[in-house]
Amino acid sequence: TLSNRGDTLYDLGRTAEALANYDQALAINPQLMSALVNRGVLLRALGRSAEALTSYDKALAINANDAEAWNNRGVALHDLGRETEALVSYERALVLRPDFTDALLNHGNALLALRRPLDALGSYRRVLALDSGLAAAHDNCGHALFDLGRFEEALAGYDRALAIRPEYVEGIVHRARALAKLDRHGEAIAELEKLRATGADAYGLLGDLAFCKAAACDWSDNARLTVELRARVVDGTPAIDPFMFLGFDGSAEQQLSCAQHWLRRKKVVGIDRTWNKAEFSGDKIRIAYLSADFHRHATSHLMAELFERHDRARFEIIGVSFGPDDGSVLRSRVIKSFDRFFDVTVRTDRDVAKMLRDLKVGIAVDLKGHTTDARIGILAQRAAPVQVSYLGYPASTGADFIDYVIGDATVFPPDQQAHYTEKFVQLPDSYQVNDSKRAIAA
């Protein structure tokens, strides 16, 4: 009775009383599955996912054949950023109930978070084979296809979701972003402006709109957009893409605020670690360069020779790639320029950071910042005692776990140091390295 009363109170939004009822029920009968599972649901709704996980674990210790509890356990682990464990929980649920659409959807979401979009697509399509009218599954198919760079197909997925749920705001946002990737900026702008008129700004539409208008060279209301962007990057409602904001006339203080709000939106929080200096006392300092751009990309065109010219008597140079292998001559050259090269595309941020710590990397250099395909979460896990931002993002990352930013007096004027979370390391003349081996066009 107490457990059922807790369910009713939860439905009424009286969460504190509902939790008290579940606790009272469990004090009488600690083996009551329904109270344990529903208590977990309530705790997760309150943002207390670690406690929810404990509740689900207790339930599963009593009955390991409860598919609902396994699925809920996975969701709690997802909240905690433990996607690999979440995936295992969803798989346990699906062994028990192969047609469990919620678990299949969540399974796909975990795979997507683990950067396995092709596998995620398989999960979503299994959902659609069971229920072709599920808008969320079509939308998520769109996400997987988007991550695979198959933007036309992603757009079709979003269109199918919206055919089922025409007022699905997130689906409209996703559709606009796919249109932008297809260089159909005029259509994207029309969608975004229509959405903004409804007050749906929680999805960061202002940033998307500003980007699309800039890409289309539509400067008709640039002054108004700039004023609005400046205000939003200060209050963070919604968070604005810091790399996009670099293209507008903001101050260093506003840029810092923009980056910090972006990190909060992405739930990127730095971890403190203690280091045993004796472990880094070898003959060579290990430097790891982290990027998604070790292929035919401006970063590699600029930096290839730098990697080659490091003093191998003093340094060991490690490449950490989380971008595509385009099979190009440039990628091959970059790989050869490193002493060791790791493709970590499908590994989690936590796993990559641990790998670098196990390798005893002394300095980790992030070449991405807040640019496309960035994985600043690797450095948030404290991959190395010294962490540096360089080249890709000429502004403050706003991250207290990045120690230095390499620049010059033009890109990072000394009087702006107060508006950077990183300490300046200034190079003479220009901070931008260039490959002297590149042929100059005739």
Side-chain angles (χ1 to χ4, degrees):
T1 302
L2 281 167
S3 181
N4 292 338
R5 187 171 187 273
D7 296 344
T8 303
L9 287 164
Y10 179 44
D11 290 340
L12 292 169
R14 293 159 62 179
T15 53
E17 296 169 80
L19 185 59
N21 274 245
Y22 291 140
D23 288 342
Q24 289 170 31
L26 290 166
I28 296 167
N29 180 7
Q31 306 289 304
L32 189 59
M33 279 288 293
S34 61
L36 284 166
V37 172
N38 292 338
R39 181 177 184 273
V41 172
L42 171 57
L43 287 166
R44 181 178 171 267
L46 293 171
R48 295 160 62 179
S49 296
E51 295 171 76
L53 181 61
T54 301
S55 204
Y56 296 137
D57 283 343
K58 287 179 179 177
L60 289 165
I62 296 163
N63 179 11
N65 294 319
D66 189 315
E68 194 81 38
W70 281 113
N71 180 56
N72 290 349
R73 182 179 187 271
V75 174
L77 286 162
H78 167 83
D79 291 342
L80 297 167
R82 294 160 60 181
E83 298 294 353
T84 304
E85 296 168 80
L87 191 64
V88 173
S89 281
Y90 299 138
E91 287 168 350
R92 291 290 296 269
L94 290 166
V95 166
L96 295 164
R97 279 176 54 190
D99 61 349
F100 191 178
T101 55
D102 281 354
L104 271 171
L105 267 176
N106 291 331
H107 185 260
N109 295 343
L111 288 165
L112 208 57
L114 290 167
R115 297 174 178 82
R116 294 167 57 185
L118 193 59
D119 294 330
L121 188 61
S123 281
Y124 298 141
R125 284 177 170 164
R126 282 174 64 193
V127 175
L128 291 170
L130 295 165
D131 183 358
S132 62
L134 200 59
H138 288 292
D139 194 50
N140 289 1
C141 272
H143 296 340
L145 290 161
F146 190 100
D147 285 359
L148 288 165
R150 293 157 59 178
F151 302 119
E152 288 281 6
E153 294 172 82
L155 183 63
Y158 298 140
D159 284 342
R160 283 190 286 270
L162 289 165
I164 297 164
R165 286 178 58 192
E167 302 305 316
Y168 184 32
V169 174
E170 284 186 70
I172 299 171
V173 175
H174 301 148
R175 185 177 191 278
R177 288 173 180 164
L179 286 168
K181 285 290 187 182
L182 292 166
D183 292 331
R184 292 163 62 179
H185 295 106
E187 295 170 76
I189 289 167
E191 296 271 12
L192 293 166
E193 287 184 328
K194 187 166 59 178
L195 266 183
R196 289 201 78 217
T198 69
D201 270 359
Y203 297 95
L205 304 185
L206 176 63
D208 289 302
L209 180 62
F211 171 80
C212 285
K213 283 189 169 259
C217 296
D218 177 356
W219 313 116
S220 56
D221 60 350
N222 192 59
R224 179 188 63 81
L225 278 175
T226 300
V227 169
E228 194 173 350
L229 280 167
R230 286 175 186 160
R232 293 298 178 88
V233 299
V234 171
D235 63 29
T237 55
I240 301 295
D241 182 336
F243 188 58
M244 189 280 299
F245 185 60
L246 274 173
F248 289 79
D249 188 19
S251 67
E253 185 175 11
Q254 290 165 344
Q255 190 71 44
L256 173 61
S257 177
C258 183
Q260 290 175 324
H261 285 304
W262 190 251
L263 288 170
R264 279 191 280 273
R265 174 182 168 179
K266 298 288 186 180
K267 299 180 181 177
V268 177
V269 179
I271 293 174
D272 288 329
R273 297 189 186 276
T274 56
W275 303 92
N276 180 0
K277 291 183 181 180
E279 294 180 349
F280 298 88
S281 60
D283 293 337
K284 295 182 182 181
I285 295 172
R286 290 193 180 97
I287 303 176
Y289 287 94
L290 291 75
S291 183
D293 302 328
F294 296 137
H295 53 91
R296 289 184 64 191
H297 184 280
T299 295
S300 289
H301 279 298
L302 293 170
M303 294 195 70
E305 189 180 3
L306 181 144
F307 303 139
E308 293 165 346
R309 293 185 61 161
H310 272 290
D311 181 355
R312 275 359 195 232
R314 298 173 59 202
F315 301 99
E316 181 181 345
I317 309 304
I318 296 169
V320 180
S321 173
F322 37 86
D325 178 355
D326 62 354
S328 65
V329 172
L330 182 57
R331 180 174 174 88
S332 178
R333 177 185 169 191
V334 167
I335 290 173
K336 289 175 183 174
S337 74
F338 289 110
D339 297 306
R340 284 190 271 184
F341 186 85
F342 298 91
D343 186 332
V344 299
T345 309
V346 298
R347 299 181 67 173
T348 66
D349 291 350
R350 184 181 283 108
D351 287 345
V352 177
K354 183 179 183 302
M355 178 191 81
L356 296 179
R357 290 195 301 273
D358 290 345
L359 289 170
K360 300 295 182 288
V361 168
I363 304 170
V365 184
D366 175 48
L367 302 175
K368 294 296 297 177
H370 294 302
T371 59
T372 303
D373 298 324
R375 295 209 22 206
I376 201 168
I378 296 171
L379 272 66
Q381 295 288 322
R382 259 296 164 185
V386 177
Q387 302 195 141
V388 182
S389 175
Y390 177 52
L391 193 66
Y393 181 72
S396 178
T397 61
D400 58 7
F401 48 84
I402 297 184
D403 307 299
Y404 299 97
V405 59
I406 299 174
D408 58 50
T410 302
V411 178
F412 303 135
D415 62 1
Q416 293 184 4
Q417 173 68 83
H419 303 306
Y420 283 72
T421 50
E422 310 90 345
K423 294 185 180 72
F424 287 174
V425 175
Q426 301 285 41
L427 296 177
D429 304 318
S430 172
Y431 87 120
Q432 182 174 293
V433 66
N434 267 278
D435 179 9
S436 68
K437 296 179 183 179
R438 287 181 68 198
I440 298 173

